[in-house]
Amino acid sequence: MFARIWHSDAFWMFRRSPAAIVAALCAALILCGAIFAPWIAQSNPYDLSSFSLMDGFLPPAWEDGGSSRFWLGTDDQGRDMISSILYGARLSMLIGIVAMIIATVLGVGLGLAAGYYGGRFDAIVMRIADVQLALPAILTALLIDGIARGVLPSSMLENLRVVVLTIAIALSLWVNFARTARASVFVEKNKEYVQAAMIMGQRPFRVMMWHILPNIMGPLLVIMTVDLASAILLEATLSFLGIGLPADSPSLGTLIRIGMGFLLSGEWWILWVPTLFLVILVVSINILGDFLRDAFNPRLH
Amino acid sequence: MVYLILKRLLQSFFVMLAVAFLAFSLFRFVGDPVSQMTGVETSVEDRERLRDELGLNDPFIFQFARFTGDLVQGDFGFSYRTREPVGEMIAKRLPATLELGTFALVISLVVGIPAGIYTALRPRGFVSQSILLVTLVGVSIPTFVIGIILIFLFGVQLAWLPTFGRNGTVDLGGWSTSFLTLDGWRSLILPAMTLGVYQLTLTMRLVRAQMMEVLRSDYIRFATARGVPYRQLYFKHALANTMVPVITIIGLQFGGVVAFSIVTESVFQWPGMGLLFLESIRFVDIPVMGVYLVVIAFFFVIVNLVVDMLYVAIDPRLRVKEAA
């Protein structure tokens, strides 16, 4: 297994592309930091007893007045910036990854079925996709969020913020998957291996999942990477707009929104540290996406 | 030609009908309109009377027909939050967003198209590589971060430009414009740049890709072989075929401009429709949400109709196909 990956074309290209290696390292590092945040971070931004107001507004360690305990400084509440960011990245990546997975399952499922069965089902799915493609993702997510606010009672809404946000993001990203999956199915459907499987009398579900899906994984993987970046960006944007998460569950977007308050007052690190972190994360994932697109493009080999 | 326009008009009509249906469903099924309009002390009889007066007991299709009829006549209902007519609220905000969006689009095209052509002609040059790197970062930086960076640079550090609000507007018979005063331009620049940067990178990359595609094609090779001067080759033969898809891009970008104007307006506290929409979501002001959608869809449809007609006007092949 390992040898097969090591000797594959894609991995060969990966080893020769310094940008992709750096991006993969950054993304992996941030992912690890996010996963292990409760063990790495010295304070927990959810736990009021783990930080103290006395430590508020400390600049990063290398500036005058900085403390070596808080390497990137503290915010107005005395929370360690590194800890906040790790926890923020944890929430942002959780929402991003779950939303991306929901979008993948939904989009690929509908796309496979639409491409496989064709006809009226295909027409309906694709019309919906067209309409949604005309609406930018942010607008869709905002709308779904607004509808959820109207439908759910406010007591429930507070507990379900993360869920609502995740679903809103997922529902605004499924279209890409559906279109790509459908287009690939149209190509694969007429190939001999699929025909053979169908003649052998296998059920449509099995043909789609076992025969077609593995052969269209390349383009889907590219979209998954790019859409993960989009999902993280969407979450950050919505939280920044004050529509996403409330201020007591800090994601990267919420941290940046809080930092905006200090834009004019000189405590630059409260704003720029999470902003820079978000940009590094998204740029890394996008570079990886670009790389995968080239790696899976047979014309470039 | 006439047939094509008629077909597009019919399509546009159905799109508008679908959006109106969406707005109507929002109004009718998300929350109860009657309980939104009345207070706690309103009696049950009064509520029922209001329900009857509003026609909420009529068959569904009648309600939808009445809703659409009102929309067409410019009666957009009342906001739950401010009790003002939604039509007036939107009309007050419309100029701000339209001017912002137009200026951003102009920036994106005026800078993006030449940059795209340049990077296509000299793909290996140092300048091209730098531009491409910058745009890759530009695509990855969220709009609101671009806004924050611009505010920080030009508003805080250099203190050249105002960082929020829309100042120096002149009222031209109900249309307040920023274009007539220096203050107006000054407060327009940062938000328009924020909104324009993302569109710019998009324009540039698409023009570049299209131009490179065209440069590889046979007729360009043939023209090169024939000894057509490079200037004429690039800017006459190649550019003509590059520009056709670019027209479509403008149509497609409109959606992006609208969506990101919500973000930009929030960062700069620009009093446009995007900010209104955000407030309406925050306060579950369903009528405003619905009408915002309808208005946006209307502009979307208009822009795409114009783009389609431009397409036919620019590309002679489409006219030939029509005649055949």
Side-chain angles (χ1 to χ4, degrees):
Chain A
M1 182 68 188
F2 183 76
R4 206 175 132 195
I5 295 175
W6 183 259
H7 291 293
S8 69
D9 287 350
F11 205 81
W12 184 78
M13 282 177 76
F14 181 75
R15 276 181 290 164
R16 287 169 46 104
S17 158
I21 292 174
V22 173
L25 273 179
C26 282
L29 211 64
I30 293 174
L31 185 65
C32 287
I35 293 173
F36 298 113
W39 294 277
I40 305 173
Q42 52 171 317
S43 67
N44 178 350
Y46 294 96
D47 178 9
L48 288 170
S49 64
S50 68
F51 51 88
S52 141
L53 269 179
M54 301 296 287
D55 296 327
F57 294 125
L58 284 175
W62 62 86
E63 293 238 323
D64 284 347
S67 153
S68 57
R69 269 174 60 220
F70 306 106
W71 197 65
L72 287 178
T74 59
D75 66 4
D76 55 330
Q77 308 282 319
R79 281 178 290 216
D80 172 36
M81 286 310 294
I82 297 180
S83 308
S84 300
I85 287 174
L86 288 178
Y87 274 93
R90 192 177 160 88
L91 193 56
S92 287
M93 289 194 93
L94 179 75
I95 293 177
I97 290 173
V98 174
M100 187 263 287
I101 291 173
I102 297 176
T104 311
V105 172
L106 184 70
V108 171
L110 284 174
L112 276 177
Y116 188 87
Y117 292 115
R120 190 173 290 171
F121 180 71
D122 178 39
I124 293 173
V125 171
M126 283 303 115
R127 272 304 83 71
I128 297 174
D130 282 347
V131 170
Q132 215 183 320
L133 209 61
L135 285 176
I138 291 187
L139 205 57
T140 319
L142 278 173
L143 254 186
I144 295 169
D145 198 278
I147 293 171
R149 275 164 198 261
V151 174
L152 298 172
S154 57
S155 55
M156 248 169 87
L157 199 62
E158 285 311 308
N159 302 323
L160 290 177
R161 291 296 325 150
V162 174
V163 179
V164 170
L165 189 62
T166 310
I167 293 175
I169 294 172
L171 288 183
S172 48
L173 292 178
W174 67 275
V175 177
N176 269 337
F177 291 104
R179 289 170 68 99
T180 310
R182 173 176 174 271
S184 312
V185 169
F186 271 131
V187 177
E188 298 294 320
K189 200 165 65 169
N190 296 319
K191 290 197 178 158
E192 276 152 7
Y193 73 94
V194 177
Q195 300 286 338
M198 284 159 87
I199 291 167
M200 279 165 69
Q202 295 195 347
R203 289 161 190 274
F205 184 79
R206 196 178 153 83
V207 175
M208 281 187 247
M209 287 298 159
W210 280 88
H211 299 281
I212 299 181
L213 188 59
N215 284 300
I216 62 174
M217 275 315 281
L220 290 181
L221 205 62
V222 175
I223 301 182
M224 280 173 80
T225 320
V226 175
D227 270 13
L228 176 62
S230 311
I232 292 174
L233 267 191
L234 256 181
E235 183 279 318
T237 306
L238 293 178
S239 297
F240 176 80
L241 293 176
I243 297 293
L245 297 169
D248 59 353
S249 49
S251 72
L252 291 176
T254 328
L255 289 175
I256 296 172
R257 179 159 61 112
I258 296 170
M260 262 299 265
F262 302 99
L263 181 64
L264 304 175
S265 60
E267 284 91 7
W268 56 269
W269 59 93
I270 303 180
L271 171 63
W272 293 114
V273 169
T275 308
L276 191 67
F277 192 81
L278 174 71
V279 171
I280 291 176
L281 175 62
V282 175
V283 171
S284 307
I285 300 176
N286 273 339
I287 290 177
L288 277 182
D290 253 29
F291 164 76
L292 286 178
R293 188 186 320 240
D294 291 348
F296 286 123
N297 187 346
R299 273 200 300 176
L300 293 178
H301 282 298
Chain B
M1 178 80 184
V2 177
Y3 170 74
L4 197 77
I5 292 175
L6 275 180
K7 203 172 112 189
R8 299 299 293 172
L9 273 177
L10 196 69
Q11 275 176 1
S12 311
F13 172 75
F14 281 110
V15 169
M16 286 313 296
L17 207 62
V19 174
F21 184 74
L22 184 69
F24 171 70
S25 318
L26 273 178
F27 172 71
R28 190 65 191 79
F29 300 117
V30 178
D32 179 25
V34 172
S35 62
Q36 287 282 350
M37 288 174 196
T38 55
V40 193
E41 64 274 14
T42 318
S43 68
V44 180
E45 293 83 55
D46 281 348
R47 277 168 194 261
E48 272 315 306
R49 202 160 47 78
L50 184 64
R51 194 173 285 277
D52 254 1
E53 271 173 26
L54 289 171
L56 295 177
N57 292 327
D58 295 348
F60 181 79
I61 193 79
F62 283 116
Q63 288 188 42
F64 177 54
R66 193 163 46 228
F67 180 84
T68 317
D70 286 348
L71 278 185
V72 172
Q73 289 167 21
D75 176 6
F76 295 136
F78 289 84
S79 155
Y80 287 161
R81 188 164 64 94
T82 62
R83 316 275 154 183
E84 282 174 74
V86 181
E88 276 176 30
M89 290 170 81
I90 298 259
K92 234 187 302 176
R93 304 287 194 114
L94 192 65
T97 297
L98 275 187
E99 289 188 357
L100 175 65
T102 314
F103 192 42
L105 211 58
V106 168
I107 293 179
S108 112
L109 296 178
V110 167
V111 183
I113 294 177
I117 296 172
Y118 181 84
T119 49
L121 292 182
R122 289 186 211 286
R124 303 248 167 260
F126 176 71
V127 179
S128 298
Q129 289 295 325
S130 324
I131 293 178
L132 285 177
L133 189 73
V134 171
T135 56
L136 185 67
V137 178
V139 171
S140 306
I141 296 183
T143 307
F144 68 92
V145 171
I146 293 176
I148 297 173
I149 293 174
L150 288 179
I151 289 181
F152 186 71
L153 277 183
F154 295 103
V156 182
Q157 293 299 67
L158 298 169
W160 286 349
L161 297 164
T163 55
F164 66 89
R166 184 174 186 238
N167 309 312
T169 53
V170 177
D171 197 8
L172 295 175
W175 181 284
S176 66
T177 177
S178 299
F179 292 149
L180 292 178
T181 62
L182 186 65
D183 264 355
W185 279 101
R186 276 164 49 92
S187 45
L188 182 62
I189 289 178
L190 287 187
M193 273 171 72
T194 307
L195 191 53
V197 163
Y198 182 77
Q199 308 300 326
L200 191 160
T201 55
L202 223 62
T203 314
M204 203 207 86
R205 293 180 141 231
L206 285 165
V207 170
R208 174 171 176 270
Q210 187 62 29
M211 188 83 176
M212 289 177 93
E213 194 87 33
V214 172
L215 285 178
R216 269 202 299 268
S217 58
D218 286 342
Y219 79 96
I220 293 292
R221 278 195 199 159
F222 182 67
T224 317
R226 213 177 46 179
V228 174
Y230 280 109
R231 185 178 296 268
Q232 196 188 344
L233 182 71
Y234 292 146
F235 295 105
K236 197 160 160 248
H237 296 264
L239 197 57
N241 271 319
T242 308
M243 288 331 270
V244 177
V246 171
I247 301 288
T248 346
I249 300 170
I250 303 174
L252 288 175
Q253 281 195 349
F254 179 78
V257 168
V258 167
F260 290 109
S261 74
I262 300 174
V263 180
T264 311
E265 286 175 12
S266 171
V267 175
F268 289 92
Q269 290 300 303
W270 186 260
M273 296 204 323
L275 212 55
L276 184 71
F277 181 60
L278 265 186
E279 285 162 14
S280 76
I281 287 181
R282 208 167 287 149
F283 295 99
V284 201
D285 197 346
I286 302 290
V288 178
M289 279 167 74
V291 174
Y292 175 84
L293 281 185
V294 172
V295 172
I296 292 300
F298 182 70
F299 278 104
F300 197 80
V301 161
I302 297 283
V303 167
N304 277 298
L305 267 179
V306 173
V307 164
D308 277 342
M309 284 174 206
L310 275 178
Y311 220 60
V312 178
I314 288 178
D315 194 342
R317 282 170 300 185
L318 284 176
R319 267 170 287 168
V320 174
K321 216 178 279 169
E322 203 63 36

